[in-house]
Amino acid sequence: MSNLLQISNLSICFDHGPRAVDSLSLAIREGQTLALVGESGSGKSISALSVLRLLDERHASYPTGEIFFRGEDMLKASDKRLRQIRGRQISMIFQEPMTSLNPLHTVEKQIGETLALHKGMRNSAARKRCIELLELVGIQNPESRLGSYPHQLSGGQKQRVMIAMALANEPELLIADEPTTALDVTVQKQVLELLRELQQKLGMAILLITHDLSIVHRYADEVAVMEQGKLVELADTETLFDRPKHPYTRKLLDAEPPEAPLAAAGSSTPLLSVSHLDVRFSTRKSLFGKVKDYFHAVQDTNFSLNRGETLGIVGESGSGKTTIGHALLKLTASTGSIQLAGEELGNLTQKQFRPWRSRIQIVFQDPFGSLSPRMSIAEIVREGLEIHEPGNSDDHEQRVIRALRDVGLDPDNRHRYPHEFSGGQRQRIAIARALVLQPDLIILDEPTSALDRTVQKQVIELLRDIQGRYGLSYIFISHDLAVVRALSHKLLVLHHGKIVEYGNADDIFHAPSQAYTQELLSAAFFYQNASTTN
C-alpha cells in the first residue's frame, strides 16, 4: 500500500536557533493510525503542525527535509493550494477545544464555515449537513445544539464539535493532537471509539499525538517515539510494547503510576469531618434579586478523613468534585457542617475563617495559570508566610529554602520566574507554596492532568514522600483513576452532585458495588484490559 504522507529528514528551527526537530522521517499509509509519542517539548505537535504549514513562518524555518502528501511537497505548496488542502484533504483536531473554537460564533456557524469554503454548501443544505455531523459524533438532540456557543457545551461536547468540524469534508488524513487529554474517562473512551469507528467508515488515516501510552496500545497500528526533537524508535505497536529497544521508550513504558498507596502515615484520629454539605448556585433571579431557580451542585454530602490519609474524589465533569474542595476553603458558599480538628468551620465568616486558611491549602490543576508571572519563586512561596506569620523575614527565607528542598528543587533558583521552569517544576513550586505553611490538609485539584506520564509519576512519588514525612492529609480530586489509585486510602465517587459510593479505596477499586462506579473503572482501565486480551 502506498504512503499517504511521507516525511523525510525534516528539521525545524525557530528564529535561527537550535533545531527543535532534527532529521525526522516517518510515513503514514492510507487507513493507518500512527501514534507520535514523547514528553512535552519532544517536538510532536510542531512536527504535526508543519504538515499543514501552520507554524508561524516569520519565526519557523525548515533547514532540511520534505513533506509529501499524495506525492505533493507541502513545503513548496502555495498559500492558495494549502487553503484547498486544509480542512478538506487533511484536517486537525487541536488539543484544547475551548481555545480552538471561536467563543463568538455558534456551533452551526463554525461547522458551516468549512462546508461553505470547501463544498459551497450554504443555508438549508449546510444546516442539514451540520445536523448529520453532530449526529455522527454522538451529540444528543443535535438540532437544539446548532445555536449553542462553546461556553454552553461541556468539555466532551466541545471536543465532539471539533471532531465534527474536522470530519465535515471527509478528509483523507486526520491529525489528532492530544484529543482526549482534558476529558473524563468515560467521554475519553467514547471519543476514541468514535474516531476508530469513523476511520473504518471513511477509510481515513490518523496521526495520533498523545503522551498516554495506554491509549496508544489500544488504538495505534504503529508508534513513533520522539525525544528532544529526534525520532528514537519506530515500530509496530505490539513490537514496541513487548520489546522496546531504546532506553527512552523503556522509560516511558515504565512511567505508569503505582497500583496502591503507601500505608497511611498518621493516626486513626479524624482530622476532617463533613456532614450534610450542600452547595447551590442560582441560575435565575427576579427583578429584585430573589432566587427563582438554582442548580444543586453538591447534595447532602458526608465524609471524613483521618490524619495522614488521602481521600480521592472522582466523577465526571460537573459531578461536584472541585465544588467540594472550594466549599471546604470557603471559596464557594455552602451549608452543612465542616469540622477540622474538632472545630466547626461551616458557620464562620470569611474574616473568622482567615486564620484557618494556613491549615488548609490547595494546589490547582494548571501550575502556570496559578503562579504569578510577575513574582519570583521565592516571592510566590513566601507570600503565605507574610500573610499568616508577618514580621520574621530571616525565618521566612529559611522556610522557603526548606520547602523548595522538600519538593526536590534547587533553592539557588528561587529568584527565577515561573516561565523559566518546566510544567513538572512549576507544579513542584505550587506544592512548595502549599507546604511552606505546614498545613494539616492539602486539597490537590487535578494536579497531574496537564503533565506527561513520566512527570506525573515523579509528582506522585513526591506527594507520597511528603505525606510519609510530615503525616499530611490530602484530598485528591481527579478524573485520572490510575493516579487516584496510587495515592488514595479512601475513595468518594460523585455523580451529579450526589455520593454514589464511598469507602476504602482498595475495596472499591477491586469490587465496586454501584453500576456507575463500575462504568467509571471500566472506562479508566479499558485500554489496559483490552490490550491484555488482544
Side-chain angles (χ1 to χ4, degrees):
M1 189 181 292
S2 61
N3 291 328
L4 181 67
L5 180 73
Q6 178 79 50
I7 299 174
S8 302
N9 197 34
L10 179 69
S11 298
I12 304 172
C13 292
F14 291 95
D15 297 318
H16 305 291
R19 294 184 178 187
V21 172
D22 189 6
S23 305
L24 173 67
S25 296
L26 51 84
I28 304 177
R29 301 184 303 276
E30 293 181 20
Q32 180 193 21
T33 297
L34 172 69
L36 196 55
V37 303
E39 296 174 282
S40 295
S42 61
K44 307 187 301 292
S45 292
I46 60 172
S47 298
L49 290 168
S50 66
V51 172
L52 286 168
R53 296 254 304 276
L54 292 176
L55 298 176
D56 186 345
E57 296 189 358
R58 293 170 299 179
H59 303 284
S61 60
Y62 306 93
T64 66
E66 298 168 319
I67 303 172
F68 284 100
F69 177 72
R70 287 212 174 278
E72 185 174 357
D73 192 343
M74 302 297 287
L75 294 181
K76 294 179 181 176
S78 66
D79 289 343
K80 181 180 179 181
R81 179 61 182 142
L82 287 170
R83 284 195 296 271
Q84 291 172 345
I85 293 171
R86 291 170 182 159
R88 184 169 189 172
Q89 291 174 275
I90 306 176
S91 286
M92 187 161 186
I93 302 170
F94 296 95
Q95 181 170 356
E96 180 43 68
M98 192 62 222
T99 54
S100 302
L101 295 173
N102 191 322
L104 302 178
H105 292 168
T106 63
V107 167
E108 182 177 10
K109 186 169 184 179
Q110 296 193 58
I111 300 176
E113 185 178 24
T114 188
L115 293 170
L117 183 65
H118 292 292
K119 293 194 171 181
M121 279 191 186
R122 288 179 174 82
N123 304 323
S124 59
R127 186 181 180 86
K128 181 180 178 183
R129 178 60 176 155
C130 286
I131 294 170
E132 287 175 359
L133 287 163
L134 292 178
E135 282 180 343
L136 188 69
V137 298
I139 295 280
Q140 300 294 319
N141 302 315
E143 201 161 354
S144 67
R145 285 299 185 186
L146 292 176
S148 298
Y149 290 88
H151 72 274
Q152 296 173 307
L153 305 174
S154 71
Q157 288 171 329
K158 286 194 284 279
Q159 196 64 288
R160 286 168 186 265
V161 170
M162 283 287 296
I163 294 170
M165 290 172 62
L167 298 178
N169 296 298
E170 299 184 0
E172 297 168 75
L173 172 63
L174 178 67
I175 301 172
D177 188 0
E178 298 279 9
T180 61
T181 297
L183 303 180
D184 303 314
V185 288
T186 48
V187 180
Q188 186 181 87
K189 179 183 172 183
Q190 291 167 13
V191 167
L192 289 166
E193 288 291 296
L194 170 68
L195 283 178
R196 186 160 68 172
E197 181 184 322
L198 294 174
Q199 178 184 30
Q200 292 168 352
K201 188 180 294 184
L202 303 174
M204 66 182 175
I206 296 178
L207 176 58
L208 176 64
I209 301 167
T210 183
H211 64 256
D212 192 332
L213 289 173
S214 58
I215 290 174
V216 171
H217 200 172
R218 176 63 177 165
Y219 291 100
D221 301 309
E222 198 170 21
V223 187
V225 183
M226 292 187 72
E227 181 188 21
Q228 296 180 355
K230 293 186 177 181
L231 182 70
V232 297
E233 191 159 356
L234 178 65
D236 69 84
T237 303
E238 291 307 317
T239 299
L240 184 128
F241 276 83
D242 292 342
R243 298 181 299 280
K245 294 179 180 178
H246 198 275
Y248 180 71
T249 308
R250 290 196 290 270
K251 175 187 170 187
L252 290 179
L253 293 173
D254 290 340
E256 287 301 307
E259 292 195 3
L262 298 175
S267 66
S268 58
T269 309
L271 171 69
L272 178 72
S273 297
V274 175
S275 303
H276 307 297
L277 184 69
D278 253 60
V279 179
R280 304 183 185 202
F281 297 109
S282 62
T283 56
R284 192 163 59 94
K285 293 183 178 181
S286 69
L287 182 63
F288 300 102
K290 184 178 179 181
V291 176
K292 299 187 74 175
D293 204 357
Y294 59 84
F295 170 62
H296 211 157
V298 176
Q299 303 179 42
D300 196 29
T301 297
N302 304 276
F303 61 86
S304 65
L305 179 64
N306 295 339
R307 291 187 182 274
E309 275 188 340
T310 299
L311 170 69
I313 303 182
V314 301
E316 298 174 65
S317 292
S319 61
K321 305 187 300 292
T322 297
T323 303
I324 287 177
H326 288 182
L328 297 178
L329 286 160
K330 283 199 169 294
L331 300 176
T332 294
S334 64
T335 59
S337 171
I338 302 170
Q339 291 189 1
L340 184 72
E343 297 288 333
E344 177 59 52
L345 308 182
N347 298 322
L348 298 183
T349 64
Q350 289 291 340
K351 185 176 181 180
Q352 291 168 331
F353 184 70
R354 186 173 179 178
W356 289 91
R357 290 195 182 279
S358 65
R359 298 182 64 177
I360 309 177
Q361 288 289 294
I362 187 167
V363 175
F364 294 99
Q365 178 174 354
D366 178 8
F368 196 70
S370 64
L371 301 178
S372 171
R374 295 189 175 92
M375 296 171 71
S376 70
I377 300 313
E379 291 170 333
I380 288 169
V381 177
R382 188 191 303 122
E383 187 179 24
L385 292 172
E386 292 174 344
I387 292 169
H388 292 284
E389 303 174 27
N392 193 339
S393 57
D394 290 339
D395 178 60
H396 290 175
E397 189 72 4
Q398 291 307 309
R399 288 172 66 177
V400 167
I401 290 170
R402 185 166 67 245
L404 291 173
R405 282 192 179 129
D406 280 340
V407 298
L409 293 174
D410 185 352
D412 291 343
N413 294 328
R414 66 188 183 279
H415 303 298
R416 292 164 60 186
Y417 289 81
H419 71 273
E420 299 178 77
F421 294 85
S422 69
Q425 288 172 323
R426 287 195 290 265
Q427 199 60 289
R428 288 172 184 264
I429 292 162
I431 294 168
R433 176 175 59 181
L435 192 63
V436 75
L437 287 164
Q438 299 175 329
D440 298 305
L441 171 65
I442 298 180
I443 298 170
L444 301 150
D445 189 3
E446 298 274 13
T448 62
S449 64
L451 305 177
D452 298 316
R453 274 296 189 196
T454 48
V455 182
Q456 271 189 8
K457 187 175 181 182
Q458 293 168 13
V459 171
I460 290 166
E461 289 171 351
L462 170 67
L463 291 170
R464 285 156 61 111
D465 176 61
I466 290 171
Q467 185 173 51
R469 204 182 314 163
Y470 295 112
L472 288 172
S473 297
Y474 296 145
I475 290 179
F476 193 89
I477 299 166
S478 182
H479 66 256
D480 189 334
L481 272 77
V483 176
V484 171
R485 183 175 61 180
L487 285 167
S488 302
H489 304 97
K490 290 180 179 177
L491 190 66
L492 190 153
V493 183
L494 286 172
H495 186 49
H496 296 322
K498 295 179 180 178
I499 293 180
V500 173
E501 200 157 351
Y502 167 63
N504 181 278
D506 189 57
D507 292 343
I508 294 175
F509 274 110
H510 285 96
S513 62
Q514 300 299 313
Y516 177 72
T517 311
Q518 292 166 6
E519 181 188 352
L520 273 184
L521 294 176
S522 172
F525 302 109
F526 169 75
Y527 317 109
Q528 296 173 15
N529 297 337
S531 65
T532 60
T533 58
N534 283 352

